C-alpha cells in the first residue's frame, strides 16, 4: 500500500507561518496531481491546494494569497507554506493524489495545525 507521510504541524500564533511536508512514493508523486486537504473538528475534509506534475497550482479561495504549494522533485515531497495563519486554519492537514472523483489512495495520519494565541 502506498504511504503518505505528513509532517510539520504544530502550534503557531495568529499571523504566523508554518511549513508542512508530504512524502509520497515516486510513482504517485510523478504521475498525479498532488494536493493538500484539511479537516477541522465537526467538519468535512476540504480541499486546500494542489499542484500538477508540470507545476500548475490551484488554491481554495480560503487560502489563496496566504498559502503556497510546491514540489521538491528530488526528494518526492509536496510542501505547503502557510503564511498569515488564522484561527480558522486550525485543522488536521492531509495530502493525497488528486483524482477526478476524489483522493487516489488511503489517507495518511495527517499533521495537526493549531493557530491560537
Amino acid at each position: 500500500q502506498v504511504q503518505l507521510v505528513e509532517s510539520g504541524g504544530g502550534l503557531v500564533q495568529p499571523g504566523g507561518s508554518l511549513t508542512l511536508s508530504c512524502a509520497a512514493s515516486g510513482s504517485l508523486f510523478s504521475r498525479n496531481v498532488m494536493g493538500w486537504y484539511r479537516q477541522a473538528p465537526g467538519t468535512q475534509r476540504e480541499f486546500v491546494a494542489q499542484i500538477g506534475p508540470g507545476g500548475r497550482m490551484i488554491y481554495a479561495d480560503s487560502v489563496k494569497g496566504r498559502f503556497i504549494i510546491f514540489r521538491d522533485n528530488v526528494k518526492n515531497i509536496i510542501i505547503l507554506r502557510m503564511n498569515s495563519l488564522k484561527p480558522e486554519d486550525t485543522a488536521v492537514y492531509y495530502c493525497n493524489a488528486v483524482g477526478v472523483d476524489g483522493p487516489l489512495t488511503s489517507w495518511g495520519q495527517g499533521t495537526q495545525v493549531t493557530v491560537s494565541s
Side-chain angles (χ1 to χ4, degrees), residues 8-70:
L11 175 65
V12 64
Q13 287 68 47
S17 299
L18 209 56
T19 300
L20 307 183
S21 296
C22 169
S25 70
S27 60
L28 192 70
F29 180 90
S30 63
R31 297 180 182 182
N32 296 291
V33 175
M34 299 296 297
W36 282 96
Y37 303 78
R38 67 186 182 186
Q39 186 171 27
T43 72
Q44 297 177 329
R45 185 180 273 116
E46 66 176 357
F47 168 79
V48 175
Q50 67 179 48
I51 185 166
R56 187 171 187 271
M57 297 164 280
I58 298 175
Y59 298 92
D61 289 341
S62 59
V63 306
K64 189 175 182 180
R66 298 189 296 120
F67 292 10
I68 303 170
I69 186 171
F70 62 97

Side-chain angles (χ1 to χ4, degrees), residues 80-99:
L80 184 69
R81 296 196 186 279
M82 305 183 294
N83 301 306
S84 301
L85 283 162
K86 305 174 180 179
E88 50 262 47
D89 294 318
T90 296
V92 178
Y93 284 70
Y94 303 87
C95 66
N96 214 317
V98 179

